[in-house]
Amino acid sequence: MTVTIEVPASRPASLPKPPGDAAQCDTLAEVLSTAAARYEEFGEEATRLRDLRNTWWGVAYDAYVAASRKAAPEHSAMAGTVRRVGRAVTSYADTLRDLTGTHDTLVERKAGLDERRTTLIADIEAAAEATPEMIAALQQRATDLGADYGVLVADHDTLQRRVGENEDLLRQAFEAADTLTEGLSGDGGIGETARTAMQEPGAPGSGATPAQVREWWEQLSDAEREAVIAAYPGIIGSADGLPAATRDQANRVLLDDDLARLRAKEEDGTLSTAERRVLANAEAARKALTKADGYVDPTDGERPGGTLWLYDPAAFGGDGRVAVGVGDLDTATDVSVQVPGIMTEMSGVGGNTDEAIRLYESARYNGDGSSVATLFWLGYDTPESPLDPATYTPDRAADGGQRLADAVEGLRASRSDDPAHLTVIGHSYGSTATSYAATDHDLAADDVVLIGSPGAGPADTAADFSVGADHVYDGRNSRDFVTLFGDEGAYHNPGGLGVDPSSEDFGAQRFEAESVDRSSVVNTDDHSRYYDHDSESLYNLGKIVDGHGDEVNAAAHSYDPWYWGSVDPEWSREPTTDVPGRSDTRADDVP
């Protein structure tokens, strides 16, 4: 009996690589950002030198003033247009890299399918006396192979469509700035696709809620998403409700533009004092992001990747706002948000990113194998120093609490159909801000942790927190000077920032947080040791972040007897380090 088995043809016939060179596009974007800086410089100088009445007057002077009044705003407008086109090129290059990566994957898949096809043909030719069962198996292999080729063709068609859309978006950006009138307009360089998408209901900047922003995003096509990222990175990069990967892409566009533009002005000697701070913040963000991107998880040898979730280097008078994540905030099972205290500014984000990495590592090393993402969040205006009056009043903590609650709501809304176990950790004055968020603004967290706290703000007890008393944790190093500011009870230490959350009256779950390097007296050094490697504090923080707060090593609460000063039972306990189950937070071969 002759049986014919039809072997599917190899498809698609070819897999052309997306046209273009992302690296060269990056170079062009840098050139455009530099050109934008030149236009910006001219506009600023023309404005600054406009009034020369003390040294010059007459008809010629009047003509000069008239010309400068026209030239200054025109050059400023052109700077904005060139900057927008440069950002569009950066976004194009980023997308091109992704598309090229997809192309390479398709090439590998086709090679695998072609190898299966070759093997199938050889097996058919060798099956001269095949049984019906063997023939059925060969036929099924041919059917499966044909279906897999079909999926590959569909994926290739999608890639080709996205390549075309990416090309078209950049064409729109160029064409929206190819005349002098467009170049001097307020939206030169913004293509029609982006402009139309941002007019749809739920677009960020329209007053929409994070949930509405997420719905708006989900309804956009791939081309519309790429268009709004390129045209409106400042809005997209800080829009609560959008996926973390989207915010990251937009903020990296902003970062690249700031670095190129401000470095050009620095070379020319025209960088203002305010711009110098912005440049320093941008450079600090770049270093922190490079560190997060390059981090290797020692538990599996993989790179979890970094995320620039928030980027606003000029905020708060140049102190800046920034949030850097480690791990995939869009998919991780366990997510944490770390809130810092006084004197924390964007220029120091590198050290804070180190802490996020250590927390990530602790949660993974002592965890249950679940995926983890940690986010350092500096989204409020921290007090400047121990001498700053704001340090001893709750105003900035109250404002920070509102901002924190909004940020966490945005994280929640961005993945409402796949909620993470979410932990918020407030350190120092940041613990007071966290308390305001959890007490006054219904913080959307599962667990709240206060470490090195000078007071729990408006909360009288842990039961006042939105997460419930069983999910409120406190870590206090007995030598930490800052924790003495918390109100211990009816008789002693009536601080201005609220109740000491380590006290038995407050009712939080206190965990061990002593340091082997602690001093014999209270000091400020121990205030900065809560994220140290192989420390009791980091061990317990990792357990909580991983969703196993019930496994922390409990510490006795401080208390306030009427006949004596406040007492901390942890004062006399011997601390541990690098002890499994107590303070071991990383693999032995990790430096």
Side-chain angles (χ1 to χ4, degrees):
M1 180 176 65
T2 301
V3 178
T4 301
I5 298 176
E6 186 174 343
V7 178
S10 174
R11 299 183 296 156
S14 64
L15 290 168
K17 187 175 182 178
D21 186 322
Q24 290 187 5
C25 291
D26 287 336
T27 299
L28 174 59
E30 187 172 348
V31 169
L32 290 170
S33 295
T34 301
R38 303 287 187 260
Y39 280 113
E40 194 173 83
E41 289 168 350
F42 183 93
E44 292 169 350
E45 285 299 293
T47 299
R48 186 178 67 83
L49 296 175
R50 184 178 298 160
D51 190 359
L52 300 175
R53 284 172 294 183
N54 292 332
T55 58
W56 190 16
W57 57 87
V59 175
Y61 171 70
D62 292 341
Y64 165 76
V65 170
S68 65
R69 282 177 177 164
K70 181 181 180 182
E74 285 182 347
H75 279 74
S76 296
M78 187 63 75
T81 294
V82 175
R83 186 178 308 139
R84 283 188 287 271
V85 174
R87 290 171 176 173
V89 174
T90 296
S91 184
Y92 170 86
D94 290 342
T95 302
L96 179 58
R97 285 191 181 87
D98 292 340
L99 296 177
T100 300
T102 300
H103 165 267
D104 293 344
T105 299
L106 295 184
V107 169
E108 291 178 6
R109 283 171 56 188
K110 187 172 189 298
L113 293 178
D114 288 347
E115 185 175 345
R116 283 170 54 189
R117 183 175 183 274
T118 299
T119 302
L120 176 60
I121 292 173
D123 291 347
I124 292 173
E125 292 176 347
E129 299 180 0
T131 65
E133 291 78 9
M134 294 171 61
I135 293 173
L138 291 169
Q139 183 62 64
Q140 186 61 51
R141 286 169 59 187
T143 300
D144 292 344
L145 182 59
D148 290 344
Y149 271 126
V151 173
L152 181 64
V153 169
D155 290 345
H156 178 250
D157 290 343
T158 299
L159 173 63
Q160 293 298 95
R161 173 181 56 78
R162 290 198 62 201
V163 168
E165 290 173 345
N166 195 38
E167 295 279 326
D168 188 57
L169 290 176
L170 188 55
R171 176 192 60 78
Q172 289 184 36
F174 284 132
E175 290 183 352
D178 62 0
T179 67
L180 182 59
T181 299
E182 290 170 337
L184 298 179
S185 68
D187 58 358
I190 297 178
E192 189 61 31
T193 300
R195 202 166 15 241
T196 301
M198 290 297 286
Q199 293 170 353
E200 294 294 326
S206 65
T209 65
Q212 291 169 331
V213 170
R214 179 177 186 262
E215 291 175 3
W216 166 81
W217 182 256
E218 290 178 341
Q219 293 171 1
L220 297 182
S221 67
D222 289 337
E224 289 170 326
R225 291 176 178 180
E226 296 297 337
V228 296
I229 289 173
Y232 303 97
I235 295 176
I236 300 302
S238 59
D240 289 332
L242 292 183
T246 299
R247 293 180 61 152
D248 175 63
Q249 185 178 347
N251 286 325
R252 289 181 191 244
V253 169
L254 290 172
L255 175 59
D256 288 345
D257 178 53
D258 278 349
L259 289 172
R261 179 175 56 87
L262 295 176
R263 283 171 177 169
K265 296 185 75 171
E266 183 180 42
E267 274 186 31
D268 295 341
T270 62
L271 203 63
S272 68
T273 300
E275 288 172 330
R276 192 169 299 281
R277 291 195 69 182
V278 171
L279 177 57
N281 287 342
E283 289 176 334
R286 167 64 73 205
K287 291 178 181 178
L289 196 55
T290 299
K291 185 182 301 184
D293 286 340
Y295 169 69
V296 177
D297 182 346
T299 66
D300 59 13
E302 299 292 330
R303 291 187 178 183
T307 300
L308 188 56
W309 195 80
L310 179 65
Y311 174 77
D312 186 1
F316 305 132
D319 289 350
R321 297 192 308 152
V322 68
V324 175
V326 179
D328 192 338
L329 291 163
D330 290 323
T331 63
T333 300
D334 300 303
V335 173
S336 68
V337 179
Q338 294 158 262
V339 186
I342 68 169
M343 298 190 296
T344 307
E345 297 180 355
M346 188 171 174
S347 58
V349 66
N352 301 116
T353 301
D354 285 333
E355 293 178 344
I357 288 173
R358 290 178 211 147
L359 180 61
Y360 174 95
E361 192 169 290
S362 176
R364 289 279 290 153
Y365 180 60
N366 290 301
D368 56 15
S370 60
S371 55
V372 173
T374 57
L375 178 69
F376 163 71
W377 178 85
L378 175 60
Y380 78 110
D381 192 9
T382 64
E384 302 296 325
S385 71
L387 300 179
D388 184 348
T391 301
Y392 307 98
T393 58
D395 293 350
R396 293 198 187 180
D399 176 68
Q402 175 69 73
R403 293 172 183 269
L404 173 61
D406 290 344
V408 172
E409 181 187 1
L411 269 175
R412 285 293 198 197
S414 69
R415 49 181 299 186
S416 58
D417 55 351
D418 178 29
H421 166 255
L422 199 150
T423 303
V424 176
I425 304 170
H427 174 243
S428 189
Y429 193 86
S431 72
T432 310
T434 300
S435 298
Y436 272 96
T439 304
D440 292 352
H441 304 293
D442 197 23
L443 180 66
D446 295 297
D447 293 304
V448 171
V449 188
L450 311 179
I451 52 178
S453 179
D460 292 324
T461 70
D464 293 333
F465 279 28
S466 56
V467 297
D470 290 344
H471 294 276
V472 180
Y473 300 85
D474 177 76
R476 173 186 176 179
N477 187 309
S478 63
R479 307 304 201 267
D480 183 351
F481 174 75
V482 173
T483 63
L484 298 182
F485 288 96
D487 184 356
E488 282 283 1
Y491 302 101
H492 304 102
N493 301 340
L497 295 177
V499 176
D500 176 0
S502 76
S503 65
E504 60 183 359
D505 289 341
F506 189 74
Q509 298 191 59
R510 186 183 183 190
F511 56 81
E512 294 179 347
E514 297 299 303
S515 169
V516 292
D517 297 320
R518 70 185 186 183
S519 171
S520 59
V521 296
V522 292
N523 65 94
T524 56
D525 288 343
D526 279 301
H527 186 60
S528 303
R529 289 175 172 154
Y530 292 96
Y531 290 107
D532 280 4
H533 274 309
D534 292 332
S535 66
E536 296 177 345
S537 175
L538 187 61
Y539 173 88
N540 288 310
L541 289 172
K543 280 292 184 182
I544 298 168
V545 169
D546 193 56
H548 295 282
D550 57 327
E551 297 178 9
V552 299
N553 296 308
H557 292 96
S558 59
Y559 58 95
D560 181 34
W562 64 269
Y563 54 84
W564 197 250
S566 58
V567 177
D568 186 350
E570 286 288 274
W571 184 276
S572 57
R573 184 179 64 80
E574 194 67 26
T576 65
T577 185
D578 198 20
V579 175
R582 291 285 294 279
S583 51
D584 184 11
T585 63
R586 55 181 174 168
D588 293 337
D589 58 349
V590 176

